[in-house]
Structures are given as C-alpha cells and as structure tokens.
Amino acid sequence: MENTKIEELKNILNTQEKWVKVHAAEFLIWEDHEIDFVKKAYLKEEKLFDSVPQYRVGIWRVLYQAAMNKNDEDKYLHKIQAAFQSGPDSLHALETLAKLKQPISQLEPQFANQVLHAEDISSFEIYGLWNLYHDTKIDKNTILEQLLNILTDQKQSDLNKTIVAYVLRFIEIPKDVQEEILQMDLNGLSKSVQMQLLATILISFDVEGQKYEFYKQKLLSLEREPNFYSTAILALADKGLQENTNEIEKYAVRLTDSTASTYSADHHATANYAWLKYHRLIKK
C-alpha cells in the first residue's frame, strides 16, 4: 500500500499543475520519498515557469527543500527573498519564507515595525507575524500575543481568524497559552475557524487521553463543513495514535476516489501524505 501511495503522489506531480503539483512534491520530500525524482521534475518546471509570478515561488520552495547542499539552498532562498522585496508575488514569498523559517526582517529591518504596528490586518500582516516569529531578535511572546488578539477580536474577519488558527500549529505555544486557548468559547467562532483551530489543537497541543478525545470529537462533529476530510485526516495522522486508524483509512478512501463528484487531486495528495505519515509514526 505504501508504494501505491507514493506512486499516486508521483502521478499527481506529473499530471497536475501549479500548487497541486507543489503540494505533491512537498509531501514526497517531507516523507523522504523520491527526492531525486522531485528535484528533476522541478528543475524542468524552473526552466519553463521561472518568470511566472506566484507559481515561481512554489517552484523555488520545492527546490530549496530538495536541495542537497547549502549553495543550492542559498540560491533558491535568495530568489524567494528577491520576490518578496520587489516582485508582484510578495505575499506568496512571505508565506513561503515563514514556512521555511527564514525571517525577512534580517534583510528588511523596517519590516518588523511595519507588521508589529499595522493598524489594518490582512493575510500579509498575519504571514508577517509568522515570519517574524523566526527572528531571534524579536520576542516570541509579542508575536503570539498579536496572533491571539486577532483570533479573539470580534472585528476581525473569519478569513483572518482562519489563517491565524492555521499558523498557530507551526509555532511553539507555551503550556499556559495552550490552556488559555483551550478555555476559549469555540461556539463564538465560525465553524471554519473552529475546524482549523481544532486541527491545530490536535496537532500541536499537549492534549492526550480523554482531553484529546474530547477535541477529536469536536472536530469530527464538523464533518459537513467544506474541506473537512482533508483537514481532519492531517490532524488525526499527526501523532500516530492507534485509535485514529479507522478515520485515517476511511477518510483516505473517500479523498482518493477519483470517480466521486467532489474529487480533488490536491485533497488526494493530502490524503496520501497523511496516510504515509500516520503509518510511519505508528511503526515507531
């Protein structure tokens, strides 16, 4: 089954375009499968689409992660940084730099002040806070406090809150702040925000036993929400818990059924990645 999942990811990479292709490539890299294959495919993509805004950032992101030496890493990092500084795809570059844990503030000293004191909040400022989290000169508690303020501010849009709920799973949250978040009234959030926040809790928080099961059931109660299955399979796979096997297998079948009217190649790739990660973890 593992080989089938890998071959399907390779097929998605070969046959799909742009960000679906990027995600399939990253999933293979993250699970340490077929990295040479990914690199070869994306060197071709670089030749074809190196000047295409937005997608070129995805190409460089893949090649940075597939790099076998620091020279190649630096080459693609500099391209992404340049796109942030002067390209039409600065938002995509900023998100990518955050994911790669590369703070742009080291090149753009004024960036920290711009983000930390922004009056209007958009996805740019949120990705900016995520990016600044990786700047060792900036207090991480300040970043975390601002992210939580966005999450709890009734005036903020659901989109902003959803992005924050997603971003929180990529930063280290102290135990006392975790407890503060767990005490939030989830019913005061829209279901789309709840779903991302619950996924983050299951992935990143120190919850186990009955507490884990409580938040798992909260997430499963949102099954009718858009993108539920792709979100839930990632959340349930992350800790490699045996009790999640049934949902992992069921959701994987659902998301990889190419005959279904709701089929998405991107969700298929997500399901295969989650399946591979889950089965790797439960073997430990």
Side-chain angles (χ1 to χ4, degrees):
M1 182 65 80
E2 178 180 294
N3 288 338
T4 299
K5 298 296 184 185
I6 295 168
E7 287 303 314
E8 287 176 359
L9 279 172
K10 289 171 65 178
N11 183 58
I12 291 169
L13 190 157
N14 277 331
T15 60
Q16 298 299 314
E17 297 180 346
K18 296 189 175 179
W19 294 101
V20 178
K21 194 181 191 82
V22 167
H23 295 155
E26 289 188 311
F27 294 152
L28 286 166
I29 292 170
W30 295 345
E31 284 302 298
D32 198 22
H33 294 300
E34 303 287 347
I35 295 178
D36 286 342
F37 168 85
V38 170
K39 186 173 183 179
K40 186 178 294 185
Y42 263 84
L43 287 172
K44 291 180 182 177
E45 289 293 288
E46 183 184 22
K47 289 180 180 178
L48 293 170
F49 303 111
D50 194 54
S51 60
V52 177
Q54 300 182 10
Y55 179 47
R56 63 181 185 164
V57 175
I59 293 171
W60 301 331
R61 187 168 98 193
V62 169
L63 288 170
Y64 173 91
Q65 293 174 94
M68 300 299 180
N69 57 68
K70 192 173 186 307
N71 285 341
D72 283 348
E73 277 190 355
D74 288 345
K75 173 184 175 181
Y76 294 110
L77 176 59
H78 293 157
K79 284 176 176 284
I80 299 165
Q81 290 170 333
F84 172 79
Q85 291 176 303
S86 61
D89 38 18
S90 59
L91 179 64
H92 290 74
L94 180 59
E95 180 189 5
T96 284
L97 290 167
K99 288 183 173 180
L100 299 179
K101 302 181 180 181
Q102 297 290 340
I104 196 65
S105 46
Q106 293 182 357
L107 288 179
E108 299 278 341
Q110 76 280 9
F111 177 74
N113 186 63
Q114 174 190 344
V115 170
L116 291 172
H117 298 97
E119 292 185 5
D120 297 319
I121 303 297
S122 68
S123 53
F124 183 90
E125 283 71 33
I126 298 170
Y127 291 140
L129 289 168
W130 181 10
N131 183 273
L132 289 174
Y133 179 83
H134 300 295
D135 187 332
T136 56
K137 296 178 181 178
I138 295 175
D139 182 8
K140 296 187 186 309
N141 290 327
T142 299
I143 303 298
L144 187 53
E145 182 180 347
Q146 292 212 15
L147 288 169
L148 292 182
N149 285 342
I150 296 169
L151 185 63
T152 56
D153 185 352
Q154 293 184 349
K155 295 179 182 178
Q156 291 295 328
S157 68
D158 279 349
L159 175 59
N160 283 351
K161 292 183 178 185
T162 299
I163 297 172
V164 168
Y166 168 77
V167 165
L168 287 174
R169 74 189 61 160
F170 297 101
I171 66 179
E172 187 175 342
I173 303 177
K175 184 71 174 177
D176 61 322
V177 180
Q178 289 185 25
E179 288 301 324
E180 181 183 335
I181 294 171
L182 293 177
Q183 295 303 316
M184 286 177 58
D185 178 15
L186 292 178
N187 293 325
L189 302 171
S190 71
K191 289 185 177 180
S192 62
V193 178
Q194 284 185 44
M195 186 168 70
Q196 286 301 329
L197 185 57
L198 287 164
T200 291
I201 289 169
L202 294 177
I203 290 169
S204 300
F205 284 30
D206 300 324
V207 291
E208 53 187 30
Q210 290 183 345
K211 205 169 190 179
Y212 180 92
E213 185 63 23
F214 173 80
Y215 288 103
K216 173 183 172 179
Q217 292 306 319
K218 283 274 192 184
L219 177 61
L220 299 191
S221 73
L222 299 173
E223 188 169 1
R224 294 186 179 182
E225 287 301 301
N227 300 320
F228 166 80
Y229 294 105
S230 57
T231 301
I233 197 170
L234 286 173
L236 298 178
D238 198 79
K239 291 181 178 175
L241 298 176
Q242 195 77 43
E243 59 263 36
N244 291 340
T245 299
N246 182 54
E247 287 87 4
I248 294 292
E249 301 300 334
K250 184 169 65 172
Y251 296 169
V253 169
R254 187 182 187 104
L255 289 164
T256 58
D257 180 3
S258 60
T259 67
S261 61
T262 56
Y263 176 76
S264 158
D266 201 27
H267 290 173
H268 185 156
T270 299
N272 281 23
Y273 164 64
W275 191 97
L276 287 166
K277 182 176 186 178
Y278 179 73
H279 284 274
R280 170 174 58 80
L281 290 172
I282 61 175
K283 287 177 184 176
K284 289 185 177 181

